[in-house]
Amino acid sequence: MRLRISARKSDLARLQAYMVGDALKEKNPQIEIDYRFRESLGDKNLTDPLWKIPEKGVFTEDFFGELLRDETDLVVHSWKDLPTEHKSETVIAATLPRADQRDLLLVKKSHFDKIKGSKTLKVFSSSPRREYNLTGFFKEHLPFGLQDVKFESVRGNMLTRVRKLIESPETDGLIVAKAAFDRLFSATLPEFLEGQQQLRQYFNELNWVVLPLSVNPNAAAQGALAVEVLRSRQDLQDLLQSIHHADTFHCSQKERDVLSSFGGGCHQKIGVAVLARPYGQITLLKGLTDAGQVLDKRELKLNNPAPQFAAQDLWSSEVTAEREALKSYQIPAGTNGLFVARSEAWPADLKWSDFVWTAGLKTWKNLSQKGIWVHGCAESLGEQEEARMDILAGKKLAWAKLSHEDGYASDQENMTLVPTYTLKAQQEYQNLSGKKFYFWSSGSQFLKAAEQEPGILSQHHASGPGNTHQVIRSYLQENKKYDPSRLHVFLDQEDWRKQCTK
């Protein structure tokens, strides 16, 4: 069988076409593939911002015509480039596992003093979504004390955009899709190596931030590939099922449906991210509609809905504690990444120039205001949320977790616990008995309460999706009290009360 696969002619588009072709050949070794690469309308018009170009599908419509004229068998798109309207003649028959859907901020190291002096960040980006969602975030979460953020239009492939940043005397930064760089830096074919080496040289002049989805949800379907074929070609649809990734398809399509409900289009100031997790599906929606409606949604749809109780049957408490810095701490030799559980865990005398990742946005903000460059965060979803920075860093990162001396080591491979302070909890665990559903803010909180009131172990328990959940589960298993139907995960205490109160 011989297949014709079409895509745009940029390095990234060709690489993505090869990814689909290689996946097909791995499952079907008898297939032979002819690749067809060409420019699209969007590649030819590099002057106007995409949202100002009147035509829809500026990167995809030319290839739709090829399918209709039987000039190709299938087209590989960056799914976010496709219009949200469904076509009657074609179908998205498959997608591969999704790359990182987050955005990436690149900032020239040589401009740090300039930015601090002017209190202004000038950044290349043609996306209304990014400008709307990120302006306030940059002012609080970058260590420059910013008062103003100015966005400037930029077009071109990834290498062109980074080159424009490097060569611009006025512009300080650039925002791009992280998936593009992860894919380009992972390419091994000789035809990509020259561009890859140039990108890596540019990266040596830049510092970067992986932008959080809870603040800046991605463009709908960003990081996902779409394989488009004629609806009449059932043979190709059947063939493509061998490489199809259902979770990616479901999440990407839901994002596109949400964007479509507000009118669709890259002119929209709307970001939407749908995340599939073992405990459920998280939807993050932020932006401003054409009608002026402010969107701000963070929702968890549980795979197995938790039981509901009367408000008086619920118990929760926040830990209040005295913290005291340890006089000495030891970061293991070879560590090049720090996971910071709380800002108080950062030692006052620590000088650090490698990678920093935080548990949540509050810790990120606090460290940034101390002048520390933070590369990203786990968004309060737990340490199991991978930073996914190794490709950008060009090496395998070895992590240490800064926390208190009674803290718990992460389940993540390659992360060592480094105690930097002591924690003396002030919470008295009163009124524990007689409740039916407990929400825990920390693992140590749960363990002390379980020691004081062991009768609570047979009741329902909940926590966020991170280390606290692991601590509770391990303790219940060790004491032969573990019942999966009685241990639950929520985004936070507010989410727990919202979903579990009658």
Side-chain angles (χ1 to χ4, degrees), residues 122-146:
K122 295 181 180 179
V123 59
F124 276 142
S125 174
S126 301
S127 164
R129 166 185 64 88
R130 291 166 175 159
E131 181 173 356
Y132 180 82
N133 284 330
L134 289 169
T135 297
F137 174 80
F138 287 161
K139 292 179 180 179
E140 293 188 336
H141 290 78
L142 295 179
F144 299 128
L146 294 175

Side-chain angles (χ1 to χ4, degrees), residues 363-381:
T363 300
W364 183 340
K365 178 180 176 179
N366 290 340
L367 291 184
S368 176
Q369 293 178 355
K370 294 179 181 180
I372 297 164
W373 185 275
V374 177
H375 292 82
C377 77
E379 306 199 52
S380 300
L381 294 177

Side-chain angles (χ1 to χ4, degrees), residues 358-422:
T358 65
L361 288 167
K362 183 178 178 180
T363 300
W364 183 340
K365 178 180 176 179
N366 290 340
L367 291 184
S368 176
Q369 293 178 355
K370 294 179 181 180
I372 297 164
W373 185 275
V374 177
H375 292 82
C377 77
E379 306 199 52
S380 300
L381 294 177
E383 295 160 32
Q384 75 277 4
E385 295 288 318
E386 295 182 32
R388 301 176 76 175
M389 294 204 299
D390 291 359
I391 295 174
L392 293 180
K395 57 189 173 185
K396 178 74 172 176
L397 297 183
W399 293 90
K401 174 186 174 182
L402 305 187
S403 188
H404 59 88
E405 64 179 356
D406 294 322
Y408 298 93
S410 171
D411 281 349
Q412 290 297 101
E413 228 178 287
N414 201 29
M415 186 182 290
T416 305
L417 176 66
V418 176
T420 58
Y421 67 96
T422 61

Side-chain angles (χ1 to χ4, degrees), residues 157-332:
N157 62 37
M158 288 298 138
L159 184 57
T160 298
R161 278 186 261 177
V162 177
R163 181 185 297 116
K164 287 180 178 179
L165 170 63
I166 296 296
E167 294 176 352
S168 171
E170 296 298 324
T171 308
D172 310 305
L174 166 69
I175 306 173
V176 292
K178 182 174 179 287
F181 285 89
D182 285 346
R183 286 176 176 145
L184 289 169
F185 280 143
S186 300
T188 57
L189 291 175
E191 66 185 272
F192 299 114
L193 296 185
E194 182 179 351
Q196 188 182 86
Q197 291 168 1
Q198 183 63 69
L199 270 180
R200 188 59 76 181
Q201 288 178 17
Y202 288 150
F203 252 61
N204 292 334
E205 301 180 43
L206 304 168
N207 216 337
W208 39 270
V209 170
V210 181
L211 297 168
L213 291 172
S214 55
V215 171
N216 179 53
N218 50 268
Q222 183 166 296
L225 302 182
V227 184
E228 185 180 21
V229 302
L230 287 175
R231 192 177 294 272
S232 60
R233 291 293 303 271
Q234 188 62 49
D235 59 327
L236 291 180
Q237 294 178 50
D238 293 342
L239 177 69
L240 287 162
Q241 282 302 301
S242 65
I243 65 169
H244 181 55
H245 193 261
D247 276 351
T248 296
F249 186 92
H250 174 75
C251 292
S252 299
Q253 188 58 62
K254 183 173 180 182
E255 291 171 5
R256 286 167 55 79
D257 290 343
V258 170
L259 181 62
S260 180
S261 72
F262 295 107
C266 61
H267 71 283
Q268 292 273 25
K269 302 174 182 177
I270 298 173
V272 54
V274 177
L275 314 175
R277 295 295 182 264
Y279 46 87
Q281 181 177 278
I282 300 170
T283 299
L284 304 167
L285 176 65
K286 285 183 77 76
L288 181 70
T289 70
D290 289 343
Q293 179 186 359
V294 175
L295 304 174
D296 190 358
K297 175 182 176 182
R298 184 171 182 258
E299 178 181 85
L300 169 62
K301 183 178 180 181
L302 294 167
N303 290 336
N304 299 304
Q308 292 190 325
F309 293 99
Q312 62 265 28
D313 292 326
L314 306 179
W315 186 94
S316 65
S317 177
E318 294 291 342
V319 175
T320 58
E322 293 180 358
R323 297 178 177 83
E324 183 176 342
L326 293 172
K327 293 181 179 179
S328 63
Y329 58 91
Q330 186 65 49
I331 297 176

Side-chain angles (χ1 to χ4, degrees), residues 314-317 429-432 435 437-440 496:
L314 306 179
W315 186 94
S316 65
S317 177
Y429 299 105
Q430 298 175 350
N431 303 318
L432 281 168
K435 303 297 182 180
F437 204 166
Y438 299 80
F439 186 92
W440 304 99
W496 167 69

